[in-house]
Amino acid sequence: MVLFRMNMIWRNCVCHLKQGKVPHRCQSGAHPVAPLGSRILTDPAKVFEHNMWDHMQWSEEEEAAARKKVEENSATRVAPEEQVDQNAKEKVEESSWDQIRSNFSRMQGTETHCGESCVSSAPGNKGRPNFPNPDLEEHSDGPGKTGRFPGSNATFRILEVGCGAGNSVFPILNTLQNFPGAFLYCCDFAPEAVQLVKSHASYTEALCSAFVHDVCDDGLAYPFPDGVLDAILLVFVLSSIHPGRMQAVVHRLSRLLKPGGMLLFRDHGRYDNAQLRFKKGRCLSENFYVRGDGTRAYFFTKGEVHRMFCEAGLHEKQNLVDHRLQVNRKKQVVMHRVWVQGKFQKPLHWTQRG
Ligand SMILES: C[S@@+](CC[C@H](N)C(=O)[O-])C[C@H]1O[C@@H](n2cnc3c(N)ncnc32)[C@H](O)[C@@H]1O
């Protein structure tokens, strides 16, 4: 039953992600014409007949060209004096996400995702108020396992980390309505994002608790005890965190899972078009870049993802590279998109390595 629920939620979430371009994934009622994953390009002459092709195989030439592009765009690194201290940088990034949200939400409820525009049903946010952060004050010590906390009566609990304006939150809440006893937590380090989620018409405290939380800050307590989550969603978030901090984040999140709980991961893969199109001078370190808006992006290989989650004591249940060909029919251009997707389970007898 638990596995069934998890699969439903993940399918629902990934289904939104897979609807062609990321920006389309949250348009209400937008369903792909062909079943997801079934659009295979067999005749290159037909490439412009659809917006996206699944399961693309790269030729050796294509792979070599991508490698060359990355060598070129990472040859010139951001100058060390501009790579400010990591904590300060994180604050810059936090305000960048907030700024992006403000700009887009002013434009009729649009939101950004991975540096690309993403339509959100979140209501427009006026200005950029300085929201207080009651969640952090309220839960500074963290609740005990036996005490009451939001969702303490639930029998199935999910956390979405880095929820942004709620592009996954609301489809999940929709699904959860058919599962009595389920509860969703969602957090983001940008207070404005959390405020957007909370002010959405579908947000209800009976089913959901949104809170401000920086997953890189080890000292911060969660508003629920360790070991109570059935599932964690980590979707296009880890890539924005400094590579030197990722392992600690994965370790901390693993502690939140119940034995048998599942961490669901999706993020940028190595040689994704988003990596290839970086200009020189944007590279911070190997495969890690800063965008013009100050947000950052790492591009993972399957092996790195495997090592990171296994190092945290989780067992790999799925780890795949999702290669697609994205087509801009109007401009008659094609782009190789690469995402890594994985499911990692906490074993019944969990031993955290490292
Ligand atoms: C690319 S967006 C993805 C949003 C959402 N997961 C989705 O798939 O639509 C990345 C989100 O992660 C959040 N984020 C980045 N670093 C974070 C951190 N250290 N702690 C919490 N949230 C973070 C950003 O504020 C942003 O909302």
Short mmCIF file of all heavy atoms in Angstrom, two decimals, residues 13 17 22 25-26 90 93-94 97-98 101 111-115 118 160-169 187-190 193 212-217 233-241 245 249 266-268 291 295-296, ligand 1:
data_model
loop_
_atom_site.label_atom_id
_atom_site.label_comp_id
_atom_site.label_asym_id
_atom_site.label_seq_id
_atom_site.Cartn_x
_atom_site.Cartn_y
_atom_site.Cartn_z
N CYS A 13 4.19 13.43 -9.93
CA CYS A 13 5.18 14.50 -9.90
C CYS A 13 6.03 14.49 -11.17
O CYS A 13 6.19 15.50 -11.85
CB CYS A 13 6.04 14.30 -8.67
SG CYS A 13 7.27 15.54 -8.46
N LEU A 17 6.80 16.85 -14.60
CA LEU A 17 8.14 17.23 -15.06
C LEU A 17 8.38 16.83 -16.49
O LEU A 17 9.10 17.47 -17.22
CB LEU A 17 9.21 16.56 -14.19
CG LEU A 17 9.27 17.02 -12.76
CD1 LEU A 17 10.16 16.10 -11.96
CD2 LEU A 17 9.78 18.44 -12.67
N VAL A 22 10.04 21.82 -19.21
CA VAL A 22 9.69 22.07 -17.83
C VAL A 22 8.64 23.17 -17.70
O VAL A 22 7.67 23.04 -16.98
CB VAL A 22 10.96 22.40 -17.02
CG1 VAL A 22 10.64 22.94 -15.66
CG2 VAL A 22 11.83 21.16 -16.92
N ARG A 25 4.99 22.15 -17.47
CA ARG A 25 4.54 21.10 -16.61
C ARG A 25 3.43 21.49 -15.65
O ARG A 25 2.74 20.65 -15.15
CB ARG A 25 5.70 20.49 -15.84
CG ARG A 25 6.23 21.34 -14.73
CD ARG A 25 7.54 20.76 -14.31
NE ARG A 25 8.08 21.46 -13.19
CZ ARG A 25 7.83 21.12 -11.95
NH1 ARG A 25 7.05 20.12 -11.67
NH2 ARG A 25 8.37 21.81 -10.98
N CYS A 26 3.29 22.77 -15.38
CA CYS A 26 2.25 23.10 -14.42
C CYS A 26 1.05 23.78 -15.06
O CYS A 26 0.23 24.33 -14.36
CB CYS A 26 2.83 23.94 -13.28
SG CYS A 26 4.42 24.61 -13.60
N GLU A 90 25.31 31.73 -0.27
CA GLU A 90 24.00 31.13 -0.13
C GLU A 90 22.94 32.21 0.09
O GLU A 90 21.84 32.11 -0.40
CB GLU A 90 23.99 30.15 1.06
CG GLU A 90 23.53 28.78 0.64
CD GLU A 90 24.67 27.81 0.44
OE1 GLU A 90 25.33 27.52 1.44
OE2 GLU A 90 24.91 27.36 -0.69
N GLU A 93 22.13 33.67 -3.15
CA GLU A 93 21.28 32.76 -3.91
C GLU A 93 19.84 32.82 -3.42
O GLU A 93 18.90 32.85 -4.20
CB GLU A 93 21.84 31.34 -3.77
CG GLU A 93 20.84 30.29 -4.12
CD GLU A 93 21.33 29.37 -5.20
OE1 GLU A 93 22.18 29.78 -5.98
OE2 GLU A 93 20.84 28.25 -5.24
N GLU A 94 19.66 32.84 -2.09
CA GLU A 94 18.32 32.88 -1.53
C GLU A 94 17.56 34.10 -2.03
O GLU A 94 16.43 34.03 -2.46
CB GLU A 94 18.45 32.92 0.00
CG GLU A 94 17.16 32.93 0.74
CD GLU A 94 17.42 32.98 2.25
OE1 GLU A 94 18.50 32.57 2.69
OE2 GLU A 94 16.54 33.45 2.96
N TRP A 97 16.54 33.70 -5.72
CA TRP A 97 15.31 32.93 -5.96
C TRP A 97 14.09 33.79 -5.65
O TRP A 97 13.10 33.78 -6.36
CB TRP A 97 15.27 31.67 -5.09
CG TRP A 97 16.14 30.56 -5.57
CD1 TRP A 97 17.22 30.03 -4.91
CD2 TRP A 97 16.05 29.84 -6.80
NE1 TRP A 97 17.77 29.03 -5.66
CE2 TRP A 97 17.08 28.89 -6.82
CE3 TRP A 97 15.17 29.91 -7.90
CZ2 TRP A 97 17.28 28.01 -7.87
CZ3 TRP A 97 15.37 29.04 -8.94
CH2 TRP A 97 16.41 28.09 -8.93
N ASP A 98 14.18 34.55 -4.53
CA ASP A 98 13.06 35.41 -4.15
C ASP A 98 12.81 36.47 -5.22
O ASP A 98 11.68 36.75 -5.60
CB ASP A 98 13.37 36.12 -2.82
CG ASP A 98 12.79 35.36 -1.64
OD1 ASP A 98 12.07 34.37 -1.87
OD2 ASP A 98 13.08 35.75 -0.51
N ARG A 101 11.18 35.01 -8.24
CA ARG A 101 9.76 34.76 -7.98
C ARG A 101 8.96 36.05 -8.04
O ARG A 101 7.89 36.11 -8.60
CB ARG A 101 9.59 34.15 -6.59
CG ARG A 101 9.76 32.70 -6.63
CD ARG A 101 9.48 32.08 -5.31
NE ARG A 101 10.09 30.78 -5.37
CZ ARG A 101 11.30 30.51 -4.91
NH1 ARG A 101 11.99 31.42 -4.29
NH2 ARG A 101 11.80 29.32 -5.07
N GLU A 111 6.14 31.54 -12.75
CA GLU A 111 7.17 31.17 -11.80
C GLU A 111 8.37 30.62 -12.54
O GLU A 111 8.27 30.21 -13.69
CB GLU A 111 6.57 30.13 -10.86
CG GLU A 111 7.52 29.53 -9.88
CD GLU A 111 8.04 30.56 -8.90
OE1 GLU A 111 7.60 31.70 -8.94
OE2 GLU A 111 8.91 30.20 -8.13
N THR A 112 9.54 30.61 -11.92
CA THR A 112 10.70 30.06 -12.61
C THR A 112 11.06 28.70 -12.09
O THR A 112 10.80 28.36 -10.96
CB THR A 112 11.93 30.96 -12.48
OG1 THR A 112 12.27 31.01 -11.12
CG2 THR A 112 11.69 32.32 -13.05
N HIS A 113 11.68 27.95 -12.94
CA HIS A 113 12.10 26.61 -12.55
C HIS A 113 13.43 26.36 -13.23
O HIS A 113 13.53 26.37 -14.44
CB HIS A 113 11.07 25.61 -13.03
CG HIS A 113 11.39 24.23 -12.60
ND1 HIS A 113 10.83 23.66 -11.50
CD2 HIS A 113 12.26 23.35 -13.10
CE1 HIS A 113 11.32 22.46 -11.36
NE2 HIS A 113 12.19 22.24 -12.31
N CYS A 114 14.44 26.12 -12.42
CA CYS A 114 15.77 25.81 -12.96
C CYS A 114 16.24 26.88 -13.93
O CYS A 114 16.82 26.57 -14.96
CB CYS A 114 15.78 24.49 -13.70
SG CYS A 114 14.71 23.31 -13.01
N GLY A 115 15.95 28.11 -13.65
CA GLY A 115 16.40 29.17 -14.52
C GLY A 115 15.59 29.28 -15.79
O GLY A 115 15.92 30.04 -16.68
N CYS A 118 8.48 28.96 -15.72
CA CYS A 118 7.61 27.85 -15.38
C CYS A 118 6.28 28.44 -14.93
O CYS A 118 6.23 29.24 -14.02
CB CYS A 118 8.24 27.07 -14.25
SG CYS A 118 7.27 25.73 -13.69
N GLU A 160 8.47 17.69 0.59
CA GLU A 160 9.11 18.20 -0.62
C GLU A 160 10.11 19.27 -0.21
O GLU A 160 9.77 20.28 0.39
CB GLU A 160 8.13 18.78 -1.65
CG GLU A 160 8.91 18.92 -2.96
CD GLU A 160 8.37 19.87 -4.00
OE1 GLU A 160 7.32 20.49 -3.81
OE2 GLU A 160 9.07 20.01 -5.03
N VAL A 161 11.37 19.03 -0.57
CA VAL A 161 12.45 19.97 -0.23
C VAL A 161 12.60 20.96 -1.38
O VAL A 161 12.61 20.56 -2.54
CB VAL A 161 13.77 19.19 -0.04
CG1 VAL A 161 14.93 20.13 0.22
CG2 VAL A 161 13.64 18.18 1.08
N GLY A 162 12.71 22.25 -1.07
CA GLY A 162 12.88 23.26 -2.12
C GLY A 162 11.65 23.30 -3.01
O GLY A 162 11.73 23.12 -4.22
N CYS A 163 10.52 23.56 -2.38
CA CYS A 163 9.23 23.43 -3.10
C CYS A 163 8.95 24.59 -4.05
O CYS A 163 8.03 24.51 -4.86
CB CYS A 163 8.09 23.32 -2.10
SG CYS A 163 7.96 24.76 -1.01
N GLY A 164 9.74 25.66 -3.96
CA GLY A 164 9.47 26.82 -4.81
C GLY A 164 8.04 27.30 -4.56
O GLY A 164 7.55 27.28 -3.42
N ALA A 165 7.37 27.70 -5.62
CA ALA A 165 6.01 28.24 -5.47
C ALA A 165 4.96 27.13 -5.43
O ALA A 165 3.77 27.41 -5.45
CB ALA A 165 5.72 29.21 -6.59
N GLY A 166 5.39 25.88 -5.40
CA GLY A 166 4.43 24.79 -5.22
C GLY A 166 4.02 24.07 -6.48
O GLY A 166 2.94 23.48 -6.55
N ASN A 167 4.91 24.06 -7.46
CA ASN A 167 4.56 23.41 -8.74
C ASN A 167 4.29 21.91 -8.58
O ASN A 167 3.52 21.34 -9.34
CB ASN A 167 5.67 23.62 -9.76
CG ASN A 167 5.84 25.09 -10.09
OD1 ASN A 167 4.86 25.82 -10.18
ND2 ASN A 167 7.07 25.53 -10.22
N SER A 168 4.95 21.28 -7.61
CA SER A 168 4.65 19.87 -7.32
C SER A 168 3.67 19.75 -6.16
O SER A 168 2.93 18.78 -6.08
CB SER A 168 5.93 19.11 -6.95
OG SER A 168 6.85 19.18 -8.01
N VAL A 169 3.71 20.73 -5.27
CA VAL A 169 2.89 20.65 -4.05
C VAL A 169 1.41 20.46 -4.39
O VAL A 169 0.75 19.56 -3.85
CB VAL A 169 3.06 21.94 -3.20
CG1 VAL A 169 2.02 22.03 -2.09
CG2 VAL A 169 4.47 22.02 -2.63
N CYS A 187 9.12 22.63 2.12
CA CYS A 187 9.94 23.72 2.64
C CYS A 187 10.76 24.35 1.53
O CYS A 187 11.00 23.75 0.48
CB CYS A 187 10.85 23.22 3.76
SG CYS A 187 12.16 22.13 3.22
N ASP A 188 11.17 25.55 1.80
CA ASP A 188 12.06 26.27 0.89
C ASP A 188 12.82 27.29 1.74
O ASP A 188 12.31 27.73 2.77
CB ASP A 188 11.27 27.00 -0.20
CG ASP A 188 12.12 27.29 -1.43
OD1 ASP A 188 12.99 28.19 -1.35
OD2 ASP A 188 11.92 26.61 -2.46
N PHE A 189 14.04 27.62 1.34
CA PHE A 189 14.76 28.62 2.15
C PHE A 189 14.34 30.04 1.80
O PHE A 189 14.74 30.98 2.48
CB PHE A 189 16.27 28.40 2.13
CG PHE A 189 17.02 28.74 0.86
CD1 PHE A 189 18.42 28.66 0.86
CD2 PHE A 189 16.40 29.14 -0.30
CE1 PHE A 189 19.16 28.96 -0.26
CE2 PHE A 189 17.12 29.45 -1.45
CZ PHE A 189 18.50 29.35 -1.43
N ALA A 190 13.55 30.19 0.76
CA ALA A 190 13.08 31.52 0.39
C ALA A 190 11.71 31.76 1.02
O ALA A 190 10.72 31.12 0.64
CB ALA A 190 13.00 31.62 -1.13
N ALA A 193 8.68 32.18 -1.24
CA ALA A 193 8.15 30.98 -1.89
C ALA A 193 7.15 30.31 -0.97
O ALA A 193 6.05 29.93 -1.38
CB ALA A 193 9.29 30.03 -2.23
N VAL A 212 9.64 27.57 6.23
CA VAL A 212 10.92 28.08 5.72
C VAL A 212 12.03 27.24 6.34
O VAL A 212 12.06 27.02 7.55
CB VAL A 212 11.11 29.56 6.11
CG1 VAL A 212 12.47 30.07 5.62
CG2 VAL A 212 9.99 30.40 5.52
N HIS A 213 12.91 26.73 5.49
CA HIS A 213 14.00 25.90 6.01
C HIS A 213 15.14 25.88 5.00
O HIS A 213 14.92 25.65 3.82
CB HIS A 213 13.49 24.47 6.24
CG HIS A 213 14.44 23.63 7.02
ND1 HIS A 213 14.35 23.49 8.39
CD2 HIS A 213 15.52 22.91 6.64
CE1 HIS A 213 15.34 22.71 8.82
NE2 HIS A 213 16.05 22.34 7.76
N ASP A 214 16.35 26.07 5.50
CA ASP A 214 17.55 25.95 4.66
C ASP A 214 18.15 24.57 4.90
O ASP A 214 18.67 24.30 6.00
CB ASP A 214 18.54 27.07 5.02
CG ASP A 214 19.79 27.00 4.16
OD1 ASP A 214 19.98 25.99 3.44
OD2 ASP A 214 20.60 27.94 4.22
N VAL A 215 18.09 23.69 3.91
CA VAL A 215 18.57 22.32 4.12
C VAL A 215 20.08 22.25 4.33
O VAL A 215 20.58 21.22 4.76
CB VAL A 215 18.18 21.36 2.97
CG1 VAL A 215 16.74 20.95 3.04
CG2 VAL A 215 18.53 21.90 1.60
N CYS A 216 20.77 23.33 4.03
CA CYS A 216 22.22 23.32 4.25
C CYS A 216 22.57 23.66 5.70
O CYS A 216 23.72 23.49 6.10
CB CYS A 216 22.89 24.34 3.33
SG CYS A 216 22.80 23.87 1.61
N ASP A 217 21.60 24.17 6.44
CA ASP A 217 21.88 24.58 7.81
C ASP A 217 21.61 23.41 8.76
O ASP A 217 20.47 23.14 9.14
CB ASP A 217 21.00 25.79 8.17
CG ASP A 217 21.42 26.42 9.48
OD1 ASP A 217 22.07 25.71 10.29
OD2 ASP A 217 21.10 27.60 9.70
N LEU A 233 10.87 14.25 -1.53
CA LEU A 233 11.05 14.66 -2.93
C LEU A 233 12.16 15.68 -3.01
O LEU A 233 12.09 16.72 -2.33
CB LEU A 233 9.77 15.33 -3.42
CG LEU A 233 8.90 14.52 -4.37
CD1 LEU A 233 8.20 13.43 -3.58
CD2 LEU A 233 7.89 15.42 -5.03
N LEU A 234 13.15 15.42 -3.84
CA LEU A 234 14.28 16.33 -4.00
C LEU A 234 14.41 16.58 -5.50
O LEU A 234 15.11 15.86 -6.22
CB LEU A 234 15.52 15.63 -3.43
CG LEU A 234 16.77 16.43 -3.15
CD1 LEU A 234 16.49 17.62 -2.24
CD2 LEU A 234 17.83 15.55 -2.50
N VAL A 235 13.70 17.57 -5.97
CA VAL A 235 13.53 17.75 -7.41
C VAL A 235 14.12 19.11 -7.83
O VAL A 235 13.60 20.17 -7.43
CB VAL A 235 12.03 17.66 -7.78
CG1 VAL A 235 11.82 17.91 -9.26
CG2 VAL A 235 11.47 16.29 -7.40
N PHE A 236 15.21 19.08 -8.58
CA PHE A 236 15.89 20.29 -9.05
C PHE A 236 16.27 21.23 -7.91
O PHE A 236 16.10 22.44 -8.01
CB PHE A 236 15.04 21.03 -10.10
CG PHE A 236 14.92 20.26 -11.38
CD1 PHE A 236 13.74 19.61 -11.71
CD2 PHE A 236 15.99 20.16 -12.25
CE1 PHE A 236 13.64 18.86 -12.88
CE2 PHE A 236 15.91 19.42 -13.43
CZ PHE A 236 14.72 18.77 -13.74
N VAL A 237 16.76 20.63 -6.82
CA VAL A 237 17.18 21.43 -5.67
C VAL A 237 18.66 21.20 -5.37
O VAL A 237 19.43 22.15 -5.22
CB VAL A 237 16.34 21.08 -4.41
CG1 VAL A 237 16.81 21.89 -3.22
CG2 VAL A 237 14.87 21.36 -4.68
N LEU A 238 19.05 19.92 -5.33
CA LEU A 238 20.43 19.60 -4.97
C LEU A 238 21.43 20.29 -5.91
O LEU A 238 22.50 20.71 -5.50
CB LEU A 238 20.63 18.08 -5.00
CG LEU A 238 21.65 17.52 -4.02
CD1 LEU A 238 21.37 17.95 -2.59
CD2 LEU A 238 21.72 16.01 -4.11
N SER A 239 21.04 20.42 -7.18
CA SER A 239 21.94 21.02 -8.16
C SER A 239 22.26 22.48 -7.84
O SER A 239 23.26 23.01 -8.31
CB SER A 239 21.33 20.94 -9.57
OG SER A 239 20.06 21.54 -9.57
N SER A 240 21.40 23.12 -7.03
CA SER A 240 21.66 24.53 -6.75
C SER A 240 22.51 24.71 -5.49
O SER A 240 22.83 25.82 -5.10
CB SER A 240 20.34 25.30 -6.61
OG SER A 240 19.60 24.80 -5.54
N ILE A 241 22.85 23.58 -4.87
CA ILE A 241 23.64 23.62 -3.64
C ILE A 241 25.12 23.37 -3.96
O ILE A 241 25.44 22.58 -4.86
CB ILE A 241 23.07 22.56 -2.66
CG1 ILE A 241 21.70 23.06 -2.15
CG2 ILE A 241 24.02 22.28 -1.51
CD1 ILE A 241 20.92 22.05 -1.37
N ARG A 245 28.69 20.74 -0.16
CA ARG A 245 27.69 20.63 0.90
C ARG A 245 26.65 19.56 0.63
O ARG A 245 25.82 19.25 1.49
CB ARG A 245 26.95 21.96 1.05
CG ARG A 245 27.79 23.04 1.61
CD ARG A 245 27.01 24.34 1.66
NE ARG A 245 27.61 25.23 2.62
CZ ARG A 245 26.95 26.06 3.39
NH1 ARG A 245 25.64 26.13 3.31
NH2 ARG A 245 27.58 26.83 4.24
N VAL A 249 23.81 17.35 3.15
CA VAL A 249 22.36 17.55 2.97
C VAL A 249 21.67 16.19 2.81
O VAL A 249 20.65 15.91 3.44
CB VAL A 249 22.08 18.46 1.74
CG1 VAL A 249 20.61 18.47 1.39
CG2 VAL A 249 22.58 19.88 2.01
N ARG A 266 15.25 13.95 -8.73
CA ARG A 266 15.35 14.28 -10.16
C ARG A 266 16.10 15.59 -10.29
O ARG A 266 15.84 16.54 -9.53
CB ARG A 266 13.96 14.37 -10.79
CG ARG A 266 14.01 14.52 -12.32
CD ARG A 266 12.62 14.28 -12.91
NE ARG A 266 12.53 14.68 -14.28
CZ ARG A 266 12.70 13.87 -15.33
NH1 ARG A 266 12.98 12.60 -15.15
NH2 ARG A 266 12.57 14.32 -16.55
N ASP A 267 17.05 15.64 -11.23
CA ASP A 267 17.84 16.88 -11.36
C ASP A 267 18.57 16.91 -12.70
O ASP A 267 18.46 15.96 -13.49
CB ASP A 267 18.82 17.00 -10.18
CG ASP A 267 18.92 18.44 -9.69
OD1 ASP A 267 18.98 19.34 -10.55
OD2 ASP A 267 18.93 18.66 -8.47
N HIS A 268 19.32 17.98 -12.93
CA HIS A 268 20.06 18.12 -14.18
C HIS A 268 21.10 17.03 -14.35
O HIS A 268 21.83 16.72 -13.40
CB HIS A 268 20.82 19.45 -14.20
CG HIS A 268 19.94 20.65 -14.28
ND1 HIS A 268 19.16 20.92 -15.39
CD2 HIS A 268 19.72 21.66 -13.42
CE1 HIS A 268 18.51 22.04 -15.19
NE2 HIS A 268 18.82 22.51 -14.00
N ARG A 291 24.35 31.18 -12.81
CA ARG A 291 23.58 31.83 -13.87
C ARG A 291 23.64 33.35 -13.69
O ARG A 291 24.05 33.84 -12.64
CB ARG A 291 22.11 31.38 -13.81
CG ARG A 291 21.93 29.87 -13.93
CD ARG A 291 20.42 29.56 -14.00
NE ARG A 291 20.17 28.13 -14.02
CZ ARG A 291 19.90 27.39 -12.95
NH1 ARG A 291 19.82 27.96 -11.77
NH2 ARG A 291 19.68 26.10 -13.07
N THR A 295 21.61 32.36 -9.32
CA THR A 295 21.34 30.98 -8.89
C THR A 295 22.38 30.07 -9.54
O THR A 295 22.99 30.42 -10.55
CB THR A 295 19.92 30.52 -9.27
OG1 THR A 295 19.78 30.56 -10.70
CG2 THR A 295 18.86 31.40 -8.63
N ARG A 296 22.57 28.90 -8.94
CA ARG A 296 23.66 28.03 -9.41
C ARG A 296 23.15 26.67 -9.86
O ARG A 296 22.04 26.27 -9.49
CB ARG A 296 24.68 27.87 -8.27
CG ARG A 296 25.41 29.18 -8.01
CD ARG A 296 26.15 29.17 -6.71
NE ARG A 296 25.23 29.13 -5.59
CZ ARG A 296 25.57 28.76 -4.36
NH1 ARG A 296 26.80 28.40 -4.10
NH2 ARG A 296 24.67 28.76 -3.41
C1 LIG B 1 14.71 25.03 -9.37
S1 LIG B 1 13.70 25.33 -8.03
C2 LIG B 1 12.79 23.82 -7.93
C3 LIG B 1 11.44 24.01 -7.27
C4 LIG B 1 10.60 22.74 -7.16
N1 LIG B 1 11.31 21.66 -6.50
C5 LIG B 1 10.10 22.30 -8.50
O1 LIG B 1 10.50 21.22 -8.95
O2 LIG B 1 9.31 23.02 -9.09
C6 LIG B 1 14.86 25.17 -6.69
C7 LIG B 1 14.24 25.57 -5.36
O3 LIG B 1 15.11 25.13 -4.31
C8 LIG B 1 15.15 26.15 -3.33
N2 LIG B 1 16.40 25.97 -2.61
C9 LIG B 1 17.66 26.14 -3.09
N3 LIG B 1 18.56 25.91 -2.12
C10 LIG B 1 17.86 25.59 -1.00
C11 LIG B 1 18.22 25.28 0.34
N4 LIG B 1 19.52 25.27 0.72
N5 LIG B 1 17.25 24.99 1.23
C12 LIG B 1 15.95 25.03 0.86
N6 LIG B 1 15.53 25.35 -0.38
C13 LIG B 1 16.47 25.63 -1.30
C14 LIG B 1 15.07 27.45 -4.12
O4 LIG B 1 14.61 28.53 -3.34
C15 LIG B 1 14.06 27.07 -5.21
O5 LIG B 1 12.74 27.33 -4.83
#
